Amino acid sequence: MGGIGMPVVTLYWDELEKLVGKSRDEILKRLPMLGCDIERVEEDHVDVEFFPNRPDLYSVEGVARALKGFMDVEFGYVEYSTKPGNWKIHVDESVLSVRPRIVGCVVRGLKITDEVIRSLMEVQEDLHWTIGRNRRKMAIGVHDLSMVNFPLRYTAVDKNFSFVPLDFRDEMSVAEILEKHPKGREYSFILEKSNTYPMIIDARDEAISFPPIINAEKTRVKESTTDLFIDVTGFDENVDRALNIIATMLSDRGGQIESVEVIYPDRREASPDLSPRKMKISKDEIFGLLGFSLSDDEIRLSLGRMRYGVEVGEDEVEVVIPPYRADIMHPWDIIEDIAIGYGYERIIPEYPETNTVGLTHQWNDVRELIREIMIGMGFMEVITFTLTNERVMYDYVKRRGEEWKDYTPVMHPLTEDHTIVRTDVLPKLLELLSHNKHHAMPQRIFEVGDVVVNMQNKLHLAACSTHAKANFSEIRSYVQSLMRELDVEWDVREGDDEAFIEGRRGDIFVNGKKVGVFGEVHPEVLQNFQLGYPVVAFELDVSNIFDVGELL
Amino acid sequence: MFSPLEVTLIKALEVGKKYKVEEAAKISKMSVDAVFKAAYLLQDKGLAKVEEEKWKEYSLTEEGMKYLNDGFPEEIIARELESIESGEKSIAELEKKFGKELVSIAIGWLRRRGCIEIKDGIIRLIKPVSIPEREALSIIYNDRMAKVDENILKILVRRKLVRIEEFKETYIILLKKPEAELKGYISDLTPELIISGAWRGKEFLKYDIHVPSKDVFPAKVHPYERIIRECRKIFLEMGFTEIKGHYVQPSFWNFDALFQPQDHPARDMQDTFYLDRYIDMDDEVVERVRATHENGWITGSTGWGGEWSYEKAMQLVLRTHTTAITIHYLARNPEPPVKAFCIDRVYRREAIDATHLPEFDQLEGVVLDRNVGFKHLLGLLKEFFVKMGFEDVRFRPGYFPYTEPSVEPEVYVDGLGWIELGGAGVFRKEVTEPLGIKGKVLAWGLGIGRLAMLRLGMKDLRRLYLPDIGWLRNMPAVKR
């Protein structure tokens, strides 16, 4: 289990302390228990990694809102209101096949400070990356309202359409932007398959945004800006989720949110919709999942701390879910928040009564057995990577393998060294010896582990002995002793494995089936691995001799 | 008190005789190293003397051989001048006959000895020439260790005609045999002594037990396997069944069955080794998983929305976590109670460095039962970590796409503080219900590499999979 790609949010202490109303020490103590990893604590700020299911915490406003509840400064659900405004966006039929969904809102009366702009830009970036999947599914544009002339048209244009993009002085065509503008180059992959391009155009026929690539220079947010227009484009309800996170965060900052009407060819929608969702959860479900009961007050307190509205009934709890909570898919998501609000540190762990009998897997039983014998014969156990390449696995040992039938190639390998999964262990041992030439001889090593042949795991044992006098009789003696210890009837036949010297190599046969090889490693092979001492070796497909159990 | 080495040497050597070390080794049948060791120990006791002799040997260089055979350049030129009546000749003519180099060397030396005069390019012999170096060369040629005049030798060396080599030999002289101590004492207890009973009534020679002997490095289990063994033991003691699966898995078991949305960043080609191969799964489970992803099916979830691609789910990957195996096992064994664990290799498409490897081992445990919940998961974690030797365990909220609630356990390690160690959670209903799993699944996992870092004090995980034999030899079987 492991998480990836979580955005790191920078929170400035002075701002956070002011917004939450608690000292940094108190905040630092409680923050991890809300659900995040603290990356770095600095004098003026703290870098925090929030989980990808909580995009509402990607801004200082969002974190402050959550902390105020969690630290008992404020309690429960706060209603967000929108004022209906006379802002309209007409959606043209042509854009529906390119990037069909648009929502927006107007924010008035906000004091646009550097702090607000900084926070807005950070949350925009993080939302683009998480909910937006790198702007593919959702992209946000922020504009100076005074420069936007309503009503707007959301339409599709061809590549010759031109306007002045952000950070540039001259008009550029869509084609030029995709080719030359830094943002155009970065995000052109999203529109790769399209020959028309989404464009938001205002009442003066001037473009204000080319989503999901770049805004127009004309609506740039400046120090003098007092009111904002925000557009969010994409494909589905993810655009609403992102808009709600931004609208509630700016509302927390003191902005008045006004709704925007979006007129599609077949319907009208008002956005944002900041009304809360409601969910009913039975107490049985809550207590069952947590493993313990809570009083009604405890339920109320736990949910209130997590900023939910709550109505506790006889058998059921009705929860009011704030509009910025994009992650609530299932009642269990809320039950987790009850546990967090209650405090993980307060839960008393209890070992479950579940009664079962332990059982090992044969695969590892066989490995243990072989380990005992090999170590008894003086071989040191090693572990090597299973990722390797055709060069080491085949060319160096003068063998050949067939793609899929034998080896498994991976797509988009990161290095030339790791292109396939190993089908044999011996080449990996020779590779290991080549890294250990400076250590005293003799060196005797073995590995008993997985190889993948025809996409199925097999259990192989390989061993090497290297020193000035290593010879065939030594390795045969190890092979026959191993087989005696394993109580396996075997015979040896002349083989054709070019990894070994002709006349000093043998195939190991059990029940008429070839299960392994042994012999003196060919000097050409030694040279390929830059080895200076003779090496004798064997490899055995143990899963061909023993029942190694069932693999899923 | 004598060590066996000393006794062997005392017995082998004659008193007062000077032995070369190699000779002493041959006679005593010990290695040169052992002879040295014994000799120095005996010297400390005043019973032997270790002497080092140094000497020089001389030999002619190629040039020296040429001078010896053909004469020195100054000799050749002098002879030429002597053969002329006037005793003089122009440099140009000499150069024509003997070559520029030879003439210039000769002029240099003849001048230095005041044997010639040069005027207008004409050389005239004014004094007979004697060349003592010639004789010295001849002496050295016949006897490498001959005594030669120091000054002449210096010139010969400077003229690169003679080279000097230095030699060193160590000798051992046994000063006396401590007969009193050796007589009647038994040094080696031989089969003859035992069978004949001749040891009776005799004393055994007492050895110096403080003298260290040679180290031996036994073959042994890889230290990493030891940690895995320890984890397996804990799981087995707790009544878990060990399970195992193939490295190659369909995305379905690796991602979809775990309710990972198909556009989730973890499913990117960036992070996962995909294979260019697809399988077919004709199972109603696939349909239920599809419905759960798209609209939540009957799990009470909203689902991820959008359209679920069968093809994406059927593409093979190198599994990115062992959860691909545990979930498949639970799907096959959906009736509680089930307790299972898996410790095995997983793959991530990651550039290799000291703490990130493209393949590593993971441990995972699951408990399926009806009347268990989050607090029981915490109980399991606590028990597991205490058995691992981490007495102090605490829990923080965590996030994993397929668990709810999720938790990040932390353990206290002296000197390091609280360390995050793995992740855990209760499998979401969106995971268990489509697979027909009856009850709740408590799951936890962690990377074995992290344990290895804590247990073995490792800073570089690469070392585990490309071991240095010296490191393996020196790593104690138990690290305390």
Side-chain angles (χ1 to χ4, degrees), chain B residues 79-126:
Chain B
R79 237 187 276 133
E80 176 72 12
L81 294 173
E82 275 165 4
S83 69
I84 303 163
E85 227 175 301
S86 62
E88 54 180 53
K89 197 167 188 173
S90 80
I91 294 178
E93 267 179 89
L94 285 170
E95 282 182 352
K96 214 167 164 187
K97 188 165 178 183
F98 299 104
K100 231 177 178 163
E101 204 192 327
L102 188 142
V103 173
S104 111
I105 296 173
I107 290 175
W109 285 99
L110 289 171
R111 248 188 177 163
R112 208 175 294 181
R113 300 224 169 100
C115 294
I116 51 164
E117 246 179 28
I118 300 175
K119 211 175 175 185
D120 303 330
I122 307 283
I123 303 184
R124 192 161 66 88
L125 202 61
I126 55 166

Side-chain angles (χ1 to χ4, degrees), chain A residues 36-37 133 137 285 289 330 336 344 350 354 356 359 361 364 386-387 411-412 436 450 457 550, chain B residues 225 239 242 244 246-247 263 274 299 332 339 347 349 359 369 374-375 396 404 406 429 469:
Chain A
C36 65
D37 294 321
R133 303 275 192 256
K137 294 182 84 173
E285 183 111 20
L289 180 56
H330 187 276
E336 179 182 62
Y344 275 21
E350 188 182 310
T354 310
T356 53
L359 188 66
H361 195 281
N364 286 323
T386 60
L387 287 172
M411 290 169 82
H412 314 292
N436 280 286
D450 299 52
N457 281 44
E550 196 201 2
Chain B
E225 283 294 339
E242 186 171 36
K244 164 109 188 147
H246 294 287
Y247 291 172
D263 65 355
Y274 281 94
T299 63
R332 287 223 197 151
K339 296 207 294 204
Y347 299 82
R349 192 172 170 278
E359 56 177 301
D369 207 350
F374 188 56
K375 84 165 175 189
R396 281 196 301 120
E404 198 77 26
S406 308
K429 270 194 175 169
I469 289 178

Side-chain angles (χ1 to χ4, degrees), chain B residues 270-457:
Chain B
Q270 292 299 326
D271 302 296
T272 303
F273 282 120
Y274 281 94
L275 308 182
D276 192 15
R277 270 288 187 280
Y278 297 78
I279 56 154
D280 257 317
M281 279 176 76
D282 188 21
D283 199 328
E284 61 175 325
V285 162
V286 178
E287 268 319 299
R288 282 189 242 139
V289 167
R290 172 209 294 276
T292 308
H293 274 251
E294 287 181 352
N295 55 42
W297 190 49
I298 55 160
T299 63
S301 172
T302 60
W304 294 112
E307 213 174 291
W308 185 82
S309 150
Y310 172 79
E311 191 183 285
K312 268 190 183 173
M314 294 304 128
Q315 184 167 15
L316 295 175
V317 298
L318 292 184
R319 64 190 189 194
T320 61
H321 48 192
T322 45
T323 322
I325 310 306
T326 43
I327 194 60
H328 194 172
Y329 181 79
L330 289 168
R332 287 223 197 151
N333 300 275
E335 292 289 339
V338 174
K339 296 207 294 204
F341 77 98
C342 183
I343 305 176
D344 218 344
R345 197 67 59 92
V346 298
Y347 299 82
R348 300 274 165 89
R349 192 172 170 278
E350 238 178 325
I352 198 162
D353 67 29
T355 55
H356 297 88
L357 304 176
E359 56 177 301
F360 54 96
D361 290 274
Q362 227 178 24
L363 156 165
E364 186 156 315
V366 287
V367 170
L368 164 64
D369 207 350
R370 281 203 172 82
N371 294 314
V372 292
F374 188 56
K375 84 165 175 189
H376 300 106
L377 173 65
L378 302 188
L380 280 164
L381 286 167
K382 196 149 188 164
E383 184 66 30
F384 182 80
F385 285 121
V386 168
K387 273 174 166 288
M388 292 272 351
F390 302 109
E391 293 291 330
D392 292 315
V393 187
R394 70 177 189 188
F395 304 107
R396 281 196 301 120
Y399 171 76
F400 306 98
Y402 40 92
T403 57
E404 198 77 26
S406 308
V407 54
E408 286 181 1
E410 291 182 325
V411 297
Y412 191 81
V413 181
D414 277 335
L416 293 174
W418 290 99
I419 303 272
E420 190 185 318
L421 205 51
V426 184
F427 276 2
R428 300 182 71 103
K429 270 194 175 169
E430 293 97 324
V431 175
T432 54
E433 292 207 339
L435 303 176
I437 297 166
K438 296 176 184 69
K440 286 186 284 286
V441 178
L442 317 178
W444 79 97
L446 61 100
I448 305 280
R450 188 101 165 148
L451 280 180
M453 287 173 117
L454 291 175
R455 279 292 153 88
L456 307 174

Side-chain angles (χ1 to χ4, degrees), chain A residues 171-196:
Chain A
E171 266 196 12
M172 289 171 90
S173 70
V174 163
E176 284 171 326
I177 289 171
L178 292 177
E179 217 174 285
K180 290 180 194 149
H181 195 285
K183 294 287 173 201
R185 284 208 302 269
E186 197 176 341
Y187 295 104
S188 61
F189 72 94
I190 301 170
L191 297 169
E192 234 166 27
K193 288 177 192 145
S194 182
N195 46 27
T196 59

Side-chain angles (χ1 to χ4, degrees), chain B residues 5-15 19 23-30 174 177 182:
Chain B
L5 293 181
E6 288 167 89
V7 172
T8 310
L9 195 64
I10 290 169
K11 285 186 166 174
L13 303 187
E14 284 175 39
V15 174
Y19 295 90
E23 243 179 304
K26 214 169 154 191
I27 297 170
S28 63
K29 296 188 177 95
M30 293 196 288
L174 190 63
K177 286 203 186 194
L182 285 180

